[in-house]
Amino acid sequence: PTNMHLRLFELAKDYLDSKGIKVLGGIISPVNDCYPKKGLLPSSHRINMVQAAIANYEFVKCSTWEAEQDKWTRTRAVLEEYKKQIAHACKDPSSKADWLPNISNEQPQLLLLCGGDLLETFSVPDLWKDEDIMAIAKDFGLVVITREGSNPEKYVYEHDILHKFKENIHLVVERVPNDISST
């Protein structure tokens, strides 16, 4: 994790707060070791790095669920699992996962937080399924932070699925130029 990953959460929180949306917290979910990315460190190391990065940061938590699966899990399925865990915790607070913030018995909305560059990967052939993009945009929503070289507003306008659900996509302009990438 980089400082920018944590900054994304702060930018999203500030933006959503300014829109009257109460933010309970953020989740970092390290990907499973089977994710096809060259040079990916083992998830145990990535989890330790995330936990060290957020050790004194109550707002963001680390969930190990995704990393602990037997295989790589698509983003939509990860979001659906977290939504189930949140719903279960709303009904039975004693079952609350350690990564969950304090929640009432009202189901909070779960949003995917990403940079504009990740959003633009929605057009990479065979990387994202259209039905997953639709479910993420329709059923969850996104908070997209602009990055150097990306234009998420134009991208949402030109992408048929994203444009259809543009009300569920929060575009946050990062005023400080940033070209830091985890890659």
Side-chain angles (χ1 to χ4, degrees):
T2 66
N3 288 336
M4 191 58 203
H5 285 113
L6 298 179
R7 181 162 168 73
L8 291 176
F9 286 99
E10 291 298 329
L11 289 166
K13 182 181 184 313
D14 290 347
Y15 173 86
L16 293 169
D17 284 346
S18 77
K19 300 295 182 189
I21 300 169
K22 182 179 180 190
V23 178
L24 300 178
I27 308 162
I28 295 180
S29 184
V31 72
N32 183 277
D33 290 339
C34 295
Y35 182 73
K37 181 177 181 178
K38 189 176 180 178
L40 188 66
L41 291 175
S43 60
S44 60
H45 296 305
R46 291 181 283 113
I47 289 167
N48 286 337
M49 286 187 279
V50 168
Q51 289 172 338
I54 63 172
N56 297 313
Y57 191 54
E58 281 298 310
F59 176 64
V60 177
K61 303 290 185 188
C62 178
S63 171
T64 60
W65 180 88
E66 182 179 358
E68 293 169 347
Q69 299 312 296
D70 293 334
K71 60 185 183 340
W72 170 62
T73 307
R74 299 188 79 76
T75 301
R76 173 187 175 185
V78 173
L79 290 169
E80 288 170 347
E81 174 61 27
Y82 289 155
K83 187 175 183 177
K84 277 194 267 182
Q85 289 183 28
I86 291 167
H88 185 70
C90 287
K91 292 177 185 155
D92 179 12
S94 67
S95 69
K96 184 176 89 93
D98 61 353
W99 57 265
L100 274 171
N102 291 326
I103 53 177
S104 64
N105 52 359
E106 182 181 330
Q107 175 86 19
Q109 181 181 9
L110 185 61
L111 299 165
L112 175 64
L113 173 60
C114 65
D117 54 335
L118 185 136
L119 184 76
E120 291 176 5
T121 68
F122 283 5
S123 292
V124 173
D126 302 320
L127 185 59
W128 295 87
K129 296 179 181 179
D130 282 350
E131 58 267 24
D132 287 353
I133 296 170
M134 183 174 303
I136 291 168
K138 178 183 173 199
D139 301 335
F140 295 95
L142 295 101
V143 179
V144 182
I145 312 297
T146 60
R147 299 223 17 191
E148 283 286 313
S150 72
N151 186 344
E153 185 174 23
K154 180 177 184 266
Y155 185 78
V156 168
Y157 180 78
E158 293 175 349
H159 191 284
D160 291 341
I161 297 170
L162 295 178
H163 185 71
K164 183 176 181 179
F165 299 104
K166 65 183 181 283
E167 308 81 36
N168 293 340
I169 302 172
H170 304 274
L171 301 176
V172 182
V173 175
E174 166 57 294
R175 305 242 180 257
V176 178
N178 165 43
D179 62 355
I180 298 171
S181 170
S182 60
T183 303

